[in-house]
Amino acid sequence: MSSSESCGRNNRHGLVESFIIPRKFPIRHYPDITHCWRCEYPVPDWDSAYAATEGREPINPRPLGQATIFRLTQPDTIGFLTYSEGCNDDVNKTVWSALGWDPSANVTNVLRDYSRYFIGDPHAEDFAQGLLALERNWQGALLTNDNVLATLRRFQSMEQSASARLRNNWRFQQALYRAYYDAYTRSRLIYETDLEGQAMAKLRDARRVGSLTAMSETDSILERAVTQRVAADWRARVFELAEALYRSIGMQLSVPLYRAIAVDRGANLDNIDVPLNDRPWLKEQFAAIRDLPGEEPRLQRIAAIIQWTDPGPGGFYDDLGNPARQPHLVKGAGFENDPAFLHSALVDFGYKGGRISWWNNAGSLYDEPLELRYTGLDSSTRYELRVVYASDVPSRKIRLVANGRVEIHPFMAKRVPPEPLVFDVPSEATKSGELTLSWFREPGLGDNGRGCHIAEVWLIKISGN
């Protein structure tokens, strides 16, 4: 927290009163440079496939992002001590140290110096550009991020011409590990997304072929993710590089293989094959559907799966953890101006299980509300709200208010496991044709600020007045 940053306390109305720390009290910064989500400075709009596989403590060069954080916070602090969990954030340490010496330093030149010193002149420029490319791998939707393959090709070219000494250099090994891991994850995501598309097409044919046949054929399609793996050579190379890193610096990228503390503590080799589609959830649903007494109930349940994201005519749907499917989310200032997301909505992760749309969510921190805003509503129609609260902190209660004054529901604990909850939206809240929904966690809790997380929201047209 900087000396120009607002702090707060709760007044008798439960609202936060702000005050400013006087500049006479010097503050030394303690930035977290090692984590990617559920942390001080999360990767903005990180793809769920990365969060599910590479986890909170991956090899994480973020040179331009770290420079943004440094330059926004440096004027109000008197230096820093970076918070690190080890060698996974080696590039970030260097960027902070270089900018601490010269805040105006060009970040690409810092990376060139880093590469020249640790990698060597022959590959200095390529390696520096490769580090920037690894950061770009994590920007935007992974399905459409063509930079990932180009990044791997760059590092493969260096790998092919590298000396034995360079191939044994742990910094070089780390960058290779990330490049191969990213490319393998994207290849799997494309493949498993396509498999799910084929599987859902089979389910849509259930009424013609029969529910049991449709589910059996769907299972067979989804299982190809395991029985017919994609990009197996890239996967094998990731394992080879994990072994090389263990031998070179004792890096523990697996719990069973290298005795890491836990999968969430950087052992992302153990998550390399985590499903990237809804295969586990669908298999759970099929097991329950097969037990239903009769064909029509089975077909109805299958139809509900197929129509899961459909809000019906005149309705709206948001998958709030997916930046491509959150059209009504009020995002706020965003990473470039608010890298700690203290006043901005952030894509967050934490819940494990169920649909992929429950793995991620939109969240707000501390007493900031998370808001959705709708326009162009039919003022002559009643609406119903369906919402899924999926979070790793279900005990922290959440409240929903419409237009700042109409309570949709009071503070309540989140359901575990998650399930869609349904609430009526009073007609007075939509009679102007516009609607703002604001979610709040319990005020004044402090701690890490977490608790206000929303995974999915449907606004459904139900009837005329």
Side-chain angles (χ1 to χ4, degrees), residues 44-97:
D45 289 341
W46 211 27
D47 196 284
S48 288
Y50 282 136
T53 55
E54 299 192 16
R56 289 188 71 229
E57 295 180 17
I59 296 160
N60 68 338
R62 295 173 58 193
L64 297 179
Q66 297 296 328
T68 294
I69 297 164
F70 174 90
R71 287 173 173 144
L72 283 173
T73 58
Q74 186 263 345
D76 296 314
T77 58
I78 58 162
F80 57 86
L81 296 170
T82 50
Y83 170 62
S84 169
E85 290 284 1
C87 57
N88 65 304
D89 51 34
D90 185 70
V91 171
N92 300 338
K93 290 186 185 79
T94 298
V95 169
W96 274 83
S97 297

Side-chain angles (χ1 to χ4, degrees), residues 187-420:
S187 182
R188 276 208 310 127
L189 180 62
I190 293 170
Y191 179 51
E192 293 184 28
T193 300
D194 180 65
L195 290 179
E196 184 169 310
Q198 295 178 46
M200 297 305 286
K202 284 291 182 185
L203 283 186
R204 292 188 185 95
D205 208 23
R207 190 165 288 278
R208 184 180 68 83
V209 303
S211 62
L212 298 179
T213 297
M215 288 188 289
S216 178
E217 292 179 351
T218 296
D219 274 334
S220 296
I221 293 170
L222 294 171
E223 282 302 308
R224 292 177 200 162
V226 177
T227 60
Q228 301 175 27
R229 291 193 188 279
V230 68
D233 54 338
W234 292 349
R235 181 180 184 275
R237 187 63 180 132
V238 172
F239 276 81
E240 291 171 354
L241 289 163
E243 175 68 19
L245 281 160
Y246 182 69
R247 292 181 180 276
S248 60
I249 56 171
M251 194 168 188
Q252 296 164 288
L253 289 162
S254 168
V255 175
L257 294 177
Y258 307 118
R259 292 174 292 183
I261 296 173
V263 172
D264 286 345
R265 298 300 304 274
N268 55 37
L269 191 65
D270 297 340
N271 276 341
I272 194 167
D273 294 319
V274 166
L276 299 180
N277 60 20
D278 278 326
R279 183 172 87 245
W281 181 77
L282 286 168
K283 290 175 77 69
E284 289 178 1
Q285 298 301 302
F286 293 165
I289 292 170
R290 288 186 177 102
D291 288 338
L292 293 176
E295 180 68 354
E296 191 57 34
R298 290 196 292 265
L299 290 171
Q300 290 176 6
R301 284 284 297 275
I302 289 173
I305 291 172
I306 294 168
Q307 298 162 7
W308 183 271
T309 62
D310 182 5
F316 306 90
Y317 171 76
D318 286 74
D319 177 358
L320 287 171
N322 182 346
R325 303 191 72 182
Q326 41 177 225
H328 302 99
L329 180 64
V330 179
K331 296 186 177 182
F335 177 83
E336 293 298 323
N337 297 295
D338 181 23
F341 293 89
L342 295 175
H343 308 289
S344 306
L346 73 152
V347 171
D348 200 6
F349 312 91
Y351 183 80
K352 297 179 181 178
R355 295 175 57 84
I356 284 179
S357 56
W358 301 350
W359 299 1
N360 54 36
N361 55 72
S364 60
L365 297 174
Y366 299 101
D367 295 348
E368 286 288 315
L370 185 83
E371 294 189 333
L372 299 188
R373 191 164 296 153
Y374 300 85
T375 59
L377 301 183
D378 185 345
S379 60
S380 66
T381 296
R382 291 185 62 83
Y383 287 88
E384 177 181 89
L385 187 73
R386 187 183 304 165
V387 59
V388 174
Y389 299 135
S391 168
D392 62 326
V393 283
S395 62
R396 294 175 191 168
K397 295 179 180 179
I398 193 165
R399 176 178 182 245
L400 172 58
V401 175
N403 300 336
R405 63 183 184 279
V406 180
E407 184 174 79
I408 303 298
H409 71 72
F411 283 110
M412 59 177 286
K414 306 173 191 72
R415 299 281 180 89
V416 181
E419 62 181 49

Side-chain angles (χ1 to χ4, degrees), residues 172-192:
F172 189 62
Q173 291 168 345
Q174 278 196 333
L176 285 175
Y177 181 90
R178 256 291 308 283
Y180 276 102
Y181 200 125
D182 287 2
Y184 175 63
T185 300
R186 181 170 188 258
S187 182
R188 276 208 310 127
L189 180 62
I190 293 170
Y191 179 51
E192 293 184 28

